[in-house]
Amino acid sequence: MTLRFPRPRGLLLLLSVLATGGPASASAPGDARATLDAHAGSSTSSAESGESTVNPHADSHARGMEGDAPRMDGPDTDALLSRVHVLERQGLLPRGPGWWDASRVADVEAGLAALPPAMRRFPGGALELVLHDESAPLGLGDGTPERPDWSEGRARFHLYRHQPSTDRRAMVRLSRLTDAEVERLWRRRAVVHAVVQRWDDALGWSRDARWRRLAGWLAPFERPLVWKEQARIHYAGAFSRALGQRSASLDLVTFAEELLVPVESLREDALGIDDRVRCQEFSKARAFAELVESSGLGALSWRAPCPAFDAWAELDLLSHFEVLLVAATGRQPESLFGHLLLRPVWREGPRVRGPTFERVVQLVALTGMEARGLGYVVKGMTGGYDTVFLTGTMGDLAHEALELEQRTIRRFHLRLTRGEEARMLERVWELERRGYLGYYFFTDNCATALLFLLNGVMEHGREVRAPGTLWVLPTATLDALARVEVLGKDGRAGPLLALVPDAFESTGDRAVRANAAREAALSSLEGKVEARWLARLRDLEGRLQSPEPEARREAYQELPALVRAVLGSAEEGARRSARELLHAYVAHAVRMERAAVDRAEGVRLRIERARLLTVKTALEGSAAAGIRERQRVFEREDVLQRKLAVLDRTTLFQQALATAPRRLPTPEELKALVRADRTEAAFAAATDAQGELNDGVLAEVDPTAFLAEDRRRKVEAESAWAASAMRDSGAARTVVSVGMDFPDVGGPRPVVSVRTAGMAEALGDARLHGFQSSSELRVLDGELSVEPRWGLPRLVSTDMTLVGYRTLQRDLPRFRESAWDSLGWGAEARVASDASRSLPYRATVQAEALVVVDEAERFSRFTALGIGGLAHVHWSDAMLTPAAGPRLSLAHRTGLPGFGASAVRVEAAYAPTWRVGDSHLTHEAAASLQMEWWLGRAGPFGVLLTPRAQVRWEGTLSPPVRHASRSASSSWWSGTTDRRLALGVEVR
């Protein structure tokens, strides 16, 4: 049979690029016959002109092969030439002697057929596929001069003889394929790679936010210290192969390889259903399909039934998502910034799931069991750990946060559409397996991880930007979420985030509430039972409040008999009411004891950690080893489903303690361990007493009704507080003030002040997104005051608090082990300047203990006295003078009627200091009266008025001296006094 071509020189080139190969493939070219794209059809290929344009360095094997061409006889040869000619007409030009192989041509055809029909007509003109005799991993180039992937721009794509690769991600799902099948797979993927790269170059798919946000691709200089394009996810397993980590474009192209030519396309049983790319990479598959479809290139089938995910997600029962804020305790400054989590909430279905088995998504730095020292802090600030996405249970979270750390968890409803909720579950599934982000305490933490997760699922191009560049606070992130207006599932507009007034209470906070309820129950018993028995119960109550656990244990042992006697003394008509009050009293007493035993367990774990000499576990205790083990477990879904995937850090630590060698406890540690054991014994006695009474004289009380009523009161109180609280946190505040100064020298002068703060939350502040109202935090809180005049304004003063913290939170009496536990405390560091002083510049460090004289619930009203000390450094251009002395202070707040954020504050301080070189004390006193008046919110903006009066005096004290020439005498004090009246306005 003789073939006739319309252009003889085309046949000559075909003969020159074909070499002897294996038997012809039986596959037909049917699907490979696509119409030539207008871009390709308008150009003239080198095959048609008969002139080789192959670079001699890149394609030395494609030249001078005419003498190696086989005899062109037989039906198989004719069929192969016909199939190659079809590929040429579609714009794919095989180059190199290795293409004289029907199976290789079939792989090119299969790769092209894997694309949607419209994508087979790719832009950019003819595409040469140059096959080299040299070998390369996967048979693909790596972009180096020795193994180029492209040359002549995007005109030539280079392929090589296949050899195994060390790229674990590229090979991990290919274990069931034979070597020949692996080679064929990557040859087909090479065709997809080349064609999709052309489309991405033309249409810019990889520059689309829908794609870039999934791996967190950052452009150069998009963030500080980002010099080149890079992804926030740095785990190689999150990309289809290592090449995809180089750029967003290569990420998209290598993913298209895996999506369009999956492993199962070679053999159906080569990969389990749940390990297939369509069941592992939902977000990328959806994004790629949307990009293709929005470009008018057809629809892709990207989703398939995924048994493991579908059983885990339970989409038909999903109710909504919540953001959880693990609040600060008020006593532990290391926890004061809070921590964010995500909680999917499901409706009850056929399978009953208890509350402790509900799932939560933790966004945490995986630190292993490394010691909490200076190295731990440095690594946390410099990216030494990885942020991971852990799916845990509420039981684990409650044990760690609510019990051991005694931190209440505030809840916020996340208003998402039904589609976004489904995407959120898919994203959690993916990121738990492959989402590893660098952890930096200030900039890349749980808050930024939440935004990364959320922005990957939001529809219609919506995005929530991080509330800062150099510092991203969890509470400020809540502000940013609440400012986004969206349409919910019900079609109504509203903020993306809204408070759920039903926090998960820590056992410590529940004990505070129980303490008040227990006292109310005792008071309500008056008049219902005999006074002598009530007096004995009050005596016993005093013993139950003892800080000594042994004394409480003995009192609990006496409690059942006394409760029976008290109830027996009640008159018949009051007995039911008395029984319910006694039941409540006992229940609240046991709740307080539960808080005590949880605190004791936390102390025990801290001591045991300190006693460890080495920790020998499978993870070797290090964060890096933990990451490697976790990645290995999550690599294969069939392995994962047979292994517990939840990483319970507390349980892991306790398991390590069982076998790890450790030093003997110190005398103080031994004392604390003995106290913890006795506290546990007291709790056992309390529950024994409660069980005996509930099975006996209190059996008629409905415990379910008691719990329901208790929860109703809790939610009612939280709702009332939330209704009067400000929504925003104290992050990123700016206040502009105008007023008058009244100095000793000269007349009154106008003054304009600008106060900005990275964080400023005062004692008693009621903020939905803020910290505890018992705590005050100020970071980079500064005020600049100038005198306006013609020309440049004159600088009057500056005052900057670098960091300041105060807390009025104290332990309940039964938890106090020392006098310190009954006090609040505060500390701050600040710098200031005042042009009127002889030494205008000052740096101050101070600390104080706070005695709370009076307080109301949530510290809406309080009075506190401070006793402490300070150290100054005064300086000017010519000299520097240190100073130190004691400090006394007064802080008072009274809430105004109406809105709970409105209040009157009084602050006063007095400090006698001795300056180096002086023979006398310098006395300083300052006082301020400020009203905070919240005007409310108009649309997205809220307005806070802060009128303020302040006075400051600095000088010396000495007895008055009577002058002989006149009857008047000098005063006790001399010095300078500054007074200011100002009205500040803050708009949030």
Side-chain angles (χ1 to χ4, degrees):
M1 178 179 178
T2 301
L3 295 176
R4 297 183 181 275
F5 290 87
R7 288 183 292 273
R9 298 182 65 182
L11 173 59
L12 178 62
L13 184 58
L14 284 174
L15 293 176
S16 72
V17 299
L18 298 176
T20 304
S25 171
S27 60
D31 288 340
R33 297 181 181 272
T35 304
L36 185 64
D37 185 274
H39 298 281
S42 62
S43 62
T44 303
S45 71
S46 60
E48 294 171 340
S49 66
E51 299 175 359
S52 175
T53 58
V54 179
N55 188 309
H57 177 75
D59 190 17
S60 61
H61 299 280
R63 295 181 293 112
M65 299 303 297
E66 292 88 341
D68 294 331
R71 292 183 59 189
M72 305 303 291
D73 295 328
D76 291 341
T77 301
D78 295 341
L80 181 58
L81 287 172
S82 177
R83 291 160 61 188
V84 171
H85 186 57
V86 170
L87 291 175
E88 281 197 326
R89 287 189 307 174
Q90 293 177 292
L92 284 178
L93 311 181
R95 295 288 182 265
W99 285 117
W100 184 248
D101 185 315
S103 66
R104 292 174 181 168
V105 173
D107 289 334
V108 175
E109 294 170 339
L112 195 63
L115 295 160
M119 284 188 68
R120 300 170 199 168
R121 302 186 296 272
F122 48 84
L127 173 61
E128 296 184 16
L129 301 178
V130 183
L131 180 59
H132 298 265
D133 283 340
E134 293 90 343
S135 297
L138 306 178
L140 298 169
D142 56 10
T144 63
E146 295 77 16
R147 295 288 183 271
D149 47 4
W150 290 95
S151 64
E152 301 294 327
R154 297 290 193 203
R156 294 176 181 167
F157 188 69
H158 297 268
L159 292 86
Y160 303 83
R161 303 284 181 177
H162 183 275
Q163 75 178 41
S165 173
T166 58
D167 185 345
R168 182 171 178 80
R169 174 61 182 86
M171 302 299 295
V172 70
R173 293 175 180 165
L174 313 183
S175 59
R176 297 179 187 174
L177 294 180
T178 65
D179 292 344
E181 288 172 330
V182 170
E183 182 176 357
R184 294 180 62 197
L185 176 77
W186 285 106
R187 199 153 42 233
R188 296 179 183 188
R189 288 182 173 180
V191 176
V192 171
H193 181 114
V195 173
V196 174
Q197 184 68 75
R198 284 280 193 90
W199 281 111
D200 184 48
D201 292 344
L203 302 179
W205 289 340
S206 60
R207 297 190 295 272
D208 193 288
R210 286 174 289 182
W211 180 261
R212 298 182 68 84
R213 63 189 181 186
L214 298 181
W217 283 103
L218 300 172
F221 309 109
E222 186 174 343
R223 294 180 64 180
L225 304 181
V226 175
W227 313 116
K228 62 179 182 178
E229 186 178 37
Q230 65 183 48
R232 290 185 60 195
I233 292 183
H234 57 76
Y235 173 40
F239 301 86
S240 292
R241 54 190 178 101
L243 187 67
Q245 290 184 271
R246 296 185 183 178
S247 68
S249 179
L250 287 172
D251 180 20
L252 181 140
V253 170
T254 54
F255 175 74
E257 299 171 358
E258 189 177 20
L259 178 69
L260 299 177
V261 188
V263 178
E264 62 272 17
S265 67
L266 267 292
R267 184 153 43 85
E268 184 67 24
D269 64 348
L271 194 62
I273 293 176
D274 292 313
D275 280 311
R276 296 177 181 179
V277 66
R278 284 174 169 81
C279 292
Q280 287 291 315
E281 297 285 3
F282 304 106
S283 299
K284 283 188 173 182
R286 178 189 284 107
F288 182 77
E290 288 178 353
L291 291 169
V292 170
E293 187 171 359
S294 63
S295 301
L297 297 177
L300 287 176
S301 175
W302 61 270
R303 188 69 159 82
C306 303
F309 171 78
D310 294 338
W312 174 85
E314 297 182 294
L315 279 172
D316 55 332
L317 295 177
L318 181 65
S319 172
H320 62 278
F321 278 88
E322 292 180 356
V323 173
L324 305 182
L325 171 66
V326 184
T329 62
R331 296 289 292 182
Q332 300 170 1
E334 67 272 15
S335 70
L336 58 87
F337 291 113
H339 176 61
L340 295 180
L341 304 93
L342 184 71
R343 177 187 178 227
V345 181
W346 283 271
R347 294 181 294 272
E348 198 66 64
R351 183 179 62 180
V352 178
R353 181 190 293 115
T356 58
F357 290 97
E358 292 180 351
R359 281 165 277 178
V360 292
V361 182
Q362 296 211 48
L363 320 167
V364 295
L366 199 61
T367 61
M369 288 169 283
E370 298 184 4
R372 267 57 169 170
L374 179 60
Y376 176 83
V377 174
V378 172
K379 290 178 70 174
M381 292 184 176
T382 58
Y385 299 117
D386 281 339
T387 299
V388 297
F389 298 78
L390 305 179
T391 300
T393 66
M394 275 301 301
D396 297 333
L397 177 62
H399 182 54
E400 182 177 357
L402 305 183
E403 298 169 4
L404 296 181
E405 297 178 357
Q406 298 283 290
R407 299 170 67 180
T408 288
I409 300 176
R410 221 173 290 171
R411 302 166 56 192
F412 298 89
H413 182 275
L414 198 57
R415 185 194 294 263
L416 299 175
T417 67
R418 188 61 181 170
E420 288 170 337
E421 289 176 344
R423 292 185 183 203
M424 182 70 84
L425 284 178
E426 294 170 353
R427 195 78 176 124
V428 169
W429 175 269
E430 299 163 351
L431 291 177
E432 184 175 23
R433 286 150 177 76
R434 291 170 291 279
Y436 293 86
L437 311 174
Y439 179 83
Y440 298 83
F441 178 78
F442 289 108
T443 59
D444 293 82
N445 47 39
C446 62
T448 52
L450 175 66
L451 295 181
F452 177 77
L453 174 61
L454 182 61
N455 285 330
V457 305
M458 294 188 72
E459 299 171 338
H460 310 303
R462 289 198 300 264
E463 182 181 10
V464 183
R465 295 190 175 276
T469 301
L470 302 178
W471 189 22
V472 182
L473 277 169
T475 52
T477 301
L478 297 179
D479 294 342
L481 293 173
R483 293 188 189 115
V484 177
E485 291 287 321
V486 297
L487 290 177
K489 289 179 290 188
D490 55 5
R492 291 184 297 178
L496 178 61
L497 194 80
L499 179 76
V500 178
D502 186 12
F504 296 127
E505 258 183 330
S506 71
T507 52
D509 283 351
R510 189 172 63 179
V512 172
R513 195 165 56 85
N515 185 54
R518 173 199 50 76
E519 182 59 40
L522 282 179
S523 299
S524 297
L525 282 171
E526 293 183 3
K528 293 182 173 62
V529 299
E530 292 184 11
R532 63 188 182 96
W533 288 112
L534 182 57
R536 291 185 61 179
L537 184 59
R538 286 192 176 276
D539 290 340
L540 184 68
E541 166 63 18
R543 293 163 58 192
L544 291 178
Q545 294 299 315
S546 171
E548 294 301 322
E550 189 63 22
R552 299 200 303 271
R553 184 185 66 82
E554 293 174 356
Y556 281 120
Q557 291 175 340
E558 300 174 17
L559 182 62
L562 184 55
V563 168
R564 286 193 291 267
V566 172
L567 183 59
S569 70
E571 297 182 359
E572 189 64 31
R575 184 159 297 179
R576 178 178 178 180
S577 176
R579 181 181 289 109
E580 291 177 349
L581 290 170
L582 287 169
H583 178 274
Y585 170 78
V586 172
H588 290 306
V590 173
R591 283 181 169 182
M592 296 180 68
E593 202 60 48
R594 170 62 187 272
V597 78
D598 288 341
R599 290 164 60 97
E601 184 181 356
V603 170
R604 182 186 286 116
L605 284 177
R606 286 194 294 272
I607 292 174
E608 293 300 332
R609 179 185 288 275
R611 290 177 60 200
L612 286 178
L613 294 177
T614 58
V615 180
K616 296 180 179 179
T617 68
L619 301 183
E620 301 176 355
S622 72
I627 289 289
R628 289 193 297 271
E629 171 67 10
R630 177 180 170 79
Q631 290 172 350
R632 185 191 66 78
V633 169
F634 279 92
E635 205 168 48
R636 290 292 297 268
E637 201 65 37
D638 53 353
V639 175
L640 177 62
Q641 296 304 320
R642 296 193 297 267
K643 187 178 178 75
L644 180 64
V646 174
L647 180 60
D648 181 358
R649 294 174 292 173
T650 303
T651 301
L652 185 64
F653 176 64
Q654 290 173 332
Q655 290 172 350
L657 287 178
T659 56
R662 47 192 178 270
R663 62 169 171 77
L664 293 174
T666 65
E668 286 300 318
E669 289 174 342
L670 185 60
K671 181 180 177 181
L673 291 172
V674 170
R675 184 183 183 86
D677 290 339
R678 291 178 176 174
T679 301
E680 191 171 346
F683 179 63
T687 55
D688 287 344
Q690 184 183 33
E692 180 182 340
L693 289 168
N694 286 350
D695 289 339
V697 295
L698 302 182
E700 296 180 21
V701 178
D702 183 358
T704 303
F706 165 76
L707 292 175
E709 176 62 17
D710 180 71
R711 181 176 180 275
R712 186 194 65 78
R713 292 179 179 178
K714 168 182 168 291
V715 172
E716 187 178 74
E718 287 188 33
S719 299
W721 171 79
S724 63
M726 287 186 287
R727 184 188 69 184
D728 294 334
S729 71
R733 298 178 63 181
T734 300
V735 180
V736 177
S737 302
V738 295
M740 296 291 293
D741 274 0
F742 302 89
D744 282 346
V745 179
R749 64 188 179 199
V751 63
V752 176
S753 301
V754 178
R755 178 184 176 185
T756 63
M759 170 59 65
E761 292 190 11
L763 289 169
D765 272 0
R767 297 179 181 273
L768 300 186
H769 303 161
F771 305 125
Q772 298 277 24
S773 55
S774 60
S775 301
E776 174 179 287
L777 176 65
R778 291 185 292 152
V779 180
L780 299 179
D781 181 8
E783 185 175 51
L784 175 114
S785 300
V786 298
E787 178 186 357
R789 58 182 183 177
W790 291 111
L792 291 177
R794 186 180 73 87
L795 179 64
V796 176
S797 64
T798 64
D799 191 354
M800 168 71 78
T801 299
L802 302 176
V803 59
Y805 181 73
R806 289 192 295 179
T807 180
L808 302 181
Q809 185 70 47
R810 290 105 60 224
D811 293 327
L812 290 172
R814 72 163 59 185
F815 301 146
R816 296 174 186 172
E817 301 178 17
S818 65
W820 177 254
D821 292 333
S822 62
L823 300 174
W825 62 275
E828 74 172 16
R830 64 195 301 176
V831 292
S833 70
D834 190 332
S836 64
R837 295 175 181 155
S838 58
L839 298 176
Y841 307 108
R842 171 184 299 188
T844 305
V845 176
Q846 64 188 43
E848 62 184 342
L850 297 170
V851 179
V852 181
V853 179
D854 175 55
E855 65 180 291
E857 186 179 4
R858 294 182 183 266
F859 295 93
S860 60
R861 183 195 72 251
F862 67 82
T863 301
L865 300 176
I867 305 173
L870 58 78
H872 285 316
V873 175
H874 305 261
W875 74 93
S876 66
D877 294 339
M879 64 181 299
L880 182 148
T881 304
R887 181 177 183 272
L888 303 176
S889 67
L890 165 70
H892 174 79
R893 181 186 193 273
T894 297
L896 295 177
F899 197 73
S902 301
V904 174
R905 295 182 185 273
V906 176
E907 297 275 350
Y910 165 69
T913 60
W914 177 76
R915 299 183 182 181
V916 173
D918 285 355
S919 59
H920 60 272
L921 293 177
T922 298
H923 299 267
E924 301 177 21
S928 67
L929 171 65
Q930 176 172 298
M931 184 177 73
E932 297 169 354
W933 185 14
W934 176 251
L935 297 184
R937 186 170 294 279
F941 302 106
V943 180
L944 179 70
L945 293 183
T946 54
R948 178 181 56 176
Q950 65 184 53
V951 60
R952 187 188 66 206
W953 172 79
E954 181 178 336
T956 60
L957 294 178
S958 60
V961 177
R962 183 177 297 275
H963 296 279
S965 60
R966 56 183 185 269
S967 60
S969 62
S970 64
S971 65
W972 272 91
W973 56 83
S974 60
T976 60
T977 303
D978 294 323
R979 294 168 291 271
R980 175 176 295 178
L981 295 175
L983 173 63
V985 180
E986 177 180 3
V987 178
R988 294 297 300 271

